[in-house]
C-alpha cells in the first residue's frame, strides 16, 4: 500500500493547484488523474482574466496563451451589438485565451516541481474511511488494482464529483444547475474584431449563451451552453444551428468537438468532512453567470492545498480543522458566486425582445472598465427591472 | 447554498459496495444495454428530486414516455465480452451509444452516483437506478437513451 499525507484526485487546474500548494506547505502529496493525458480533451472555452492569473501568482507563458483579448462584444438576439473596446472604455488587456492542453500540463508540472508525485491513467474507484486516520482509496491503472492510504483527500474530480460523495458530501448537481455545453474549435472564422470575445444571448442558447473566443486570426472556440431544463434539443443540435446562422461562422470548418457539463448552481453547503476537502468544478466553484471556473477553481485548490499542509503539520485532519478551507472559500469565491447567481436568474428571465431593448439601451452607456461587475452595474442603470432585482448587489 | 440533493449513497451502505452489480460497456463493440421501465415501487431517493415526472418527455426522444409503473418493457441485451452480469433482474437499463465522449456530465447529475466514467468506458450500476433519467436529459450529444 502506498502511503501519503495528501492525495489529490483529479489533475485539472484546481487539483494541480491544490497539489502544488500542499507540497509547498511541506506535505507529501500524490496527484492522480484517470486520463492518459492531463488537459485533454478540453471541455472549456479557455478564457481567463489577466487579473485572475495574477492573483494566483501565475506568470503568463506564451506556451499556453493563444491570444490576448482586448475587448468584449455582447450580441442580443436581433444582432444588436454592444462593443466594449478600447475606443469606448479605458482598459488594460482584459484576458487571454488559453491552450488548455498545454496549460493544464504546466499546472501539473508546477505541482511536481513543488514536490508532488503524479500518477496518470490512475482511476480512483472507491474509498474506505479509516477511523482517525484518513482513508484508503482503491485505484486501478490498466487493469491493476492498488491502494493509497492518505490522511487527507482533496477531491478535484470535476463536474462528476464522485469522490466527495463517497465521503458523504452532497455535491451532486441537479439538471437545472448543470449547463450542458458543446463547442467546435474552428478555422475560417470571420469576426468583426478578432481580438474581442463575443457573447450571444437569447433563445440561441436556452438557459445559457453562445460564445466565440478567438484563438488566432481566423481560429476560434465557437460554443454554447444550455440548460436541459429549458430545451429539448441537445447542446450539440443548438450548436449546429448557431454555427449555420452566425455570420462569423457560416464558412468556418471544425477541427475539434468538445462537450461537457458545467455546474452553475453555486457551492454546496459543506465542502469538507473528516479528512476530505472538495475543490474546483467538483465543488461548484464556478461563476454561475459566465460558467467560468478556471480561476475560481484554482483559487479553491490553492486554499485547500494550504489548509491541508497546515492540518498535517498540526496533526489534525478533522473536519473541524479543515473548515478553515470552507470558510476561506465562502469568503472569497462564495461571495462572488452569490451575486452572480442572482444576475444569472435575472438574465434567464428575459425574453429575446427584452434582451434586444437592453442591448439598445447599452449602446449609449459609457463604461469605465471591462469587467463582469462593471457590466452588471450598467445593466442595473438601464433596466428598471434589473435595478429592482439586482440593484443592491454591486 | 445550492446542491441540496442528498447523497443517496448514505442509505445504500458503505461507500465501497456502492457499485452494486456493475455493467462494463466497451467502446468498440455493439453494446446494446437497454432500458427496462418496470413497475418499480414508488420508493424515492431520500431527497426526492424530480424523479416522479409521470409524463416526462425526454429531451431528444421521439416518443413520449408513459407513466412509470404503467407498463414493463423487458430488455433485450447483446452481451459484450467484457460485461459482467450475475444479476438476472433486468430493470433500469440505460443504453450508452458509441458516440459517447466520456465527458462525465451524466455522472455529475446522477443522484445516486451510479455512473463511472472511465477514459473510454462507462460503468453503470443499474441495480440501484431509480430511472430518474437525469443522465439522459443532460447529455450534450444525446449519447444516452432508454431502449424502447
Amino acid at each position: 500500500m502506498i502511503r501519503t499525507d495528501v492525495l489529490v484526485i483529479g489533475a485539472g487546474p484546481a487539483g494541480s493547484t491544490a497539489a502544488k500548494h500542499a507540497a509547498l506547505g511541506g506535505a507529501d502529496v500524490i496527484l492522480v488523474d484517470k486520463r492518459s493525458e492531463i488537459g485533454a480533451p478540453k471541455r472549456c472555452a479557455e478564457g481567463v482574466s489577466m487579473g485572475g492569473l495574477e492573483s494566483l501568482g501565475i506568470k503568463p507563458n506564451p506556451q499556453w496563451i493563444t491570444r490576448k483579448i482586448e475587448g468584449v462584444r455582447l450580441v442580443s438576439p436581433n444582432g444588436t451589438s454592444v462593443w466594449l473596446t478600447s475606443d469606448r472604455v479605458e482598459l488594460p488587456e482584459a484576458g487571454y485565451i488559453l491552450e488548455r492542453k498545454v496549460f493544464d500540463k504546466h499546472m501539473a508540472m508546477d505541482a511536481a516541481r513543488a514536490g508532488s508525485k503524479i500518477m496518470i491513467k490512475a482511476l480512483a474507484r472507491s474509498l474506505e474511511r479509516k477511523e482517525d486516520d484518513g482513508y484508503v482509496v482503491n485505484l486501478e491503472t490498466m487493469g491493476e488494482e492498488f491502494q493509497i492510504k492518505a490522511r487527507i483527500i482533496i477531491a478535484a474530480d470535476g463536474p462528476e464529483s464522485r469522490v466527495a460523495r463517497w465521503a458523504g458530501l452532497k455535491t451532486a448537481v441537479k439538471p437545472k444547475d448543470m449547463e450542458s455545453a458543446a463547442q467546435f474549435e474552428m478555422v475560417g472564422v470571420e469576426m468583426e474584431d478578432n481580438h474581442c470575445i463575443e457573447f450571444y444571448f437569447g433563445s440561441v442558447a436556452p438557459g445559457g449563451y453562445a460564445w466565440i473566443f478567438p484563438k488566432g486570426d481566423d481560429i476560434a472556440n465557437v460554443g454554447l451552453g444550455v440548460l436541459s431544463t429549458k430545451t429539448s434539443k441537445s447542446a450539440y443540435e443548438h450548436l449546429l444551428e448557431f454555427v449555420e446562422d452566425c455570420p462569423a461562422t457560416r464558412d468556418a470548418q471544425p477541427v475539434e468537438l468538445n462537450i461537457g457539463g458545467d455546474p452553475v448552481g453555486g457551492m454546496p453547503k459543506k465542502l469538507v468532512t473528516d479528512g476530505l476537502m472538495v475543490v474546483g468544478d467538483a465543488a461548484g466553484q464556478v461563476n454561475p453567470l459566465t460558467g467560468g471556473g478556471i480561476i475560481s477553481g484554482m483559487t479553491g485548490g490553492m486554499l485547500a492545498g494550504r489548509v491541508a499542509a497546515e492540518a498535517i503539520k498540526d496533526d489534525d485532519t478533522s473536519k473541524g480543522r479543515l473548515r478553515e478551507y470552507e470558510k476561506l472559500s465562502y469568503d472569497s469565491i462564495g461571495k462572488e458566486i452569490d451575486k452572480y447567481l442572482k444576475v444569472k436568474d435575472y438574465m434567464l428571465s428575459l425574453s429575446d425582445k427584452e434582451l434586444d431593448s437592453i442591448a439598445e439601451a447599452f449602446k449609449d452607456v459609457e463604461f469605465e472598465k471591462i469587467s463582469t461587475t462593471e457590466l452588471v452595474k450598467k445593466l442595473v442603470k438601464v433596466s428598471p427591472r434589473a435595478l429592482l432585482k439586482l440593484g443592491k448587489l454591486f | 447554498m445550492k446542491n441540496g440533493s442528498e447523497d443517496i449513497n448514505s442509505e445504500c451502505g458503505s461507500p465501497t459496495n456502492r457499485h452494486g452489480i456493475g455493467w462494463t460497456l466497451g467502446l468498440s463493440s455493439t453494446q446494446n444495454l437497454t432500458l427496462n421501465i418496470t413497475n418499480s415501487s414508488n420508493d424515492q431517493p431520500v431527497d426526492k428530486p424530480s424523479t416522479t415526472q409521470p409524463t416526462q418527455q425526454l429531451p431528444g426522444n421521439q416518443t413520449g414516455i408513459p407513466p412509470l409503473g404503467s407498463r414493463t418493457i423487458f430488455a433485450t441485451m447483446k452481451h459484450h465480452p467484457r460485461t459482467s452480469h450475475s444479476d438476472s433482474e433486468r430493470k433500469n437499463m440505460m443504453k450508452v451509444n458509441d458516440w459517447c465522449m466520456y465527458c462525465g456530465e451524466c455522472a455529475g447529475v446522477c443522484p445516486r452516483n451510479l455512473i463511472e466514467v472511465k477514459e473510454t468506458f462507462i460503468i453503470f450500476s443499474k441495480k440501484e437506478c431509480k430511472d430518474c433519467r437525469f443522465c439522459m436529459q443532460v447529455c450534450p450529444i444525446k449519447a444516452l437513451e432508454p431502449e424502447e
Side-chain angles (χ1 to χ4, degrees):
Chain A
M1 168 142 27
I2 304 167
R3 286 163 203 277
T4 189
D5 292 331
V6 179
L7 173 63
V8 182
I9 300 179
S16 292
T17 305
K20 172 175 115 179
H21 286 275
L24 287 174
D28 284 337
V29 183
I30 300 178
L31 172 66
V32 301
D33 198 281
K34 68 182 179 184
R35 296 198 184 273
S36 48
E37 180 176 351
I38 289 172
K42 66 181 190 274
R43 42 199 195 185
C44 182
E46 303 185 293
V48 289
S49 68
M50 284 183 61
L53 287 179
E54 275 168 33
S55 72
L56 290 158
I58 294 172
K59 254 188 67 182
N61 182 334
Q63 285 187 282
W64 40 256
I65 290 176
T66 65
R67 198 82 165 166
K68 278 181 192 161
I69 296 303
E70 291 164 2
V72 178
R73 177 189 182 195
L74 307 170
V75 188
S76 75
N78 70 4
T80 308
S81 295
V82 178
W83 290 92
L84 308 170
T85 50
S86 54
D87 55 340
R88 301 197 51 189
V89 174
E90 189 192 302
L91 59 100
E93 292 153 73
Y96 300 117
I97 307 301
L98 305 177
E99 187 65 51
R100 285 284 306 263
K101 290 184 193 61
V102 184
F103 177 79
D104 284 28
K105 289 185 184 68
H106 279 247
M107 295 303 104
M109 289 175 192
D110 283 349
R113 292 184 186 115
S116 172
K117 301 226 178 352
I118 302 181
M119 303 175 80
I120 52 177
K121 204 145 179 77
L123 168 72
R125 306 206 63 207
S126 63
L127 46 76
E128 295 153 35
R129 173 88 183 135
K130 292 295 167 197
E131 280 319 308
D132 295 333
D133 206 19
Y135 293 88
V136 170
V137 179
N138 299 301
L139 301 103
E140 173 205 301
T141 179
M142 298 194 250
E144 290 225 354
E145 293 176 352
F146 66 101
Q147 295 182 316
I148 296 180
K149 183 153 184 307
R151 303 192 61 194
I152 295 177
I153 294 177
I154 297 181
D157 55 330
E160 299 166 48
S161 199
R162 310 197 71 213
V163 178
R165 289 196 262 170
W166 293 336
L169 292 180
K170 304 181 196 319
T171 56
V173 174
K174 297 195 165 75
K176 73 171 176 66
D177 292 322
M178 182 73 95
E179 292 285 337
S180 185
Q183 166 178 272
F184 286 126
E185 188 168 336
M186 307 191 89
V187 67
V189 182
E190 291 168 356
M191 303 177 77
E192 283 191 40
D193 183 336
N194 60 17
H195 280 87
C196 281
I197 50 178
E198 301 188 344
F199 296 83
Y200 295 76
F201 301 100
S203 49
V204 67
Y209 64 87
W211 63 81
I212 302 182
F213 283 13
K215 297 180 73 167
D217 287 342
D218 63 345
I219 304 169
N221 282 335
V222 179
L224 49 80
V226 303
L227 286 177
S228 63
T229 47
K230 303 275 184 192
T231 176
S232 58
K233 291 191 210 165
S234 68
Y236 181 65
E237 287 167 287
H238 280 288
L239 177 63
L240 292 175
E241 286 175 16
F242 175 70
V243 164
E244 176 148 335
D245 294 340
C246 181
T249 55
R250 256 182 218 132
D251 298 322
Q253 302 300 322
V255 294
E256 185 170 314
L257 170 66
N258 306 125
I259 60 164
D262 192 354
V264 292
M267 295 190 284
K269 281 199 177 70
K270 297 198 181 133
L271 301 177
V272 311
T273 184
D274 292 318
L276 186 138
M277 296 180 274
V278 59
V279 303
D281 280 5
Q285 291 175 338
V286 169
N287 182 319
L289 182 64
T290 64
I294 299 174
I295 302 300
S296 43
M298 293 176 79
T299 302
M302 177 173 72
L303 297 172
R306 285 181 182 157
V307 169
E310 292 305 303
I312 296 290
K313 282 188 192 142
D314 295 344
D315 199 29
D316 179 2
T317 63
S318 67
K319 61 173 167 249
R321 176 64 187 87
L322 300 182
R323 272 210 186 100
E324 182 192 354
Y325 157 68
E326 194 175 88
K327 185 169 191 313
L328 288 169
S329 286
Y330 267 94
D331 287 346
S332 55
I333 307 166
K335 293 220 161 78
E336 288 295 295
I337 286 180
D338 275 343
K339 286 195 292 196
Y340 288 115
L341 266 172
K342 298 197 168 81
V343 180
K344 179 191 75 161
D345 287 339
Y346 167 70
M347 297 275 308
L348 283 185
S349 72
L350 298 174
S351 66
D352 278 7
K353 254 184 85 177
E354 285 167 309
L355 285 166
D356 288 333
S357 54
I358 288 178
E360 200 56 45
F362 253 37
K363 287 168 94 168
D364 302 321
V365 164
E366 287 194 0
F367 294 86
E368 277 139 37
K369 56 185 168 104
I370 287 190
S371 69
T372 321
T373 307
E374 192 64 16
L375 284 172
V376 178
K377 277 186 183 157
K378 297 302 179 187
L379 175 65
V380 162
K381 280 202 174 128
V382 305
S383 159
R385 206 163 116 228
L387 175 62
L388 213 69
K389 301 209 167 175
L390 309 171
K392 293 191 185 127
L393 287 181
F394 289 86
Chain B
M1 301 229 20
K2 305 297 167 180
N3 292 338
S5 64
E6 281 193 20
D7 184 11
I8 304 305
N9 299 323
S10 56
E11 63 166 352
C12 292
S14 79
T16 48
N17 62 23
R18 185 209 45 69
H19 275 291
I21 309 290
W23 296 89
T24 304
L25 306 179
L27 170 66
S28 53
S29 81
T30 52
Q31 76 271 19
N32 246 339
L33 295 193
T34 57
L35 178 76
N36 187 320
I37 306 170
T38 69
N39 280 318
S40 49
S41 65
N42 257 355
D43 53 329
Q44 320 249 1
V46 172
D47 65 320
K48 207 194 67 67
S50 49
T51 48
T52 46
Q53 289 177 11
T55 52
Q56 176 184 18
Q57 176 78 23
L58 261 194
N61 252 24
Q62 300 314 305
T63 61
I65 306 297
L68 289 178
S70 73
R71 65 181 175 129
T72 303
I73 300 169
F74 288 101
T76 58
M77 208 174 66
K78 283 192 190 158
H79 295 288
H80 185 284
R82 280 175 290 179
T83 301
S84 69
H85 53 99
S86 46
D87 182 10
S88 57
E89 225 185 289
R90 295 181 184 186
K91 63 182 179 83
N92 301 329
M93 303 295 272
M94 173 254 286
K95 176 184 174 185
V96 182
N97 290 298
D98 66 10
W99 59 86
C100 170
M101 292 165 68
Y102 309 95
C103 75
E105 177 160 5
C106 54
V109 298
C110 176
R112 299 180 150 247
N113 208 2
L114 302 178
I115 302 176
E116 183 175 26
V117 178
K118 299 178 127 194
E119 197 165 18
T120 56
F121 252 51
I122 299 278
I123 298 184
F124 168 52
S125 299
K126 56 121 188 155
K127 192 175 177 197
E128 287 151 56
C129 175
K130 294 295 180 189
D131 206 26
C132 73
R133 304 200 187 173
F134 288 171
C135 55
M136 304 173 202
Q137 182 181 337
V138 300
C139 177
I141 50 175
K142 292 275 176 286
L144 304 181
E145 59 188 43
E147 189 92 325
E148 291 294 330

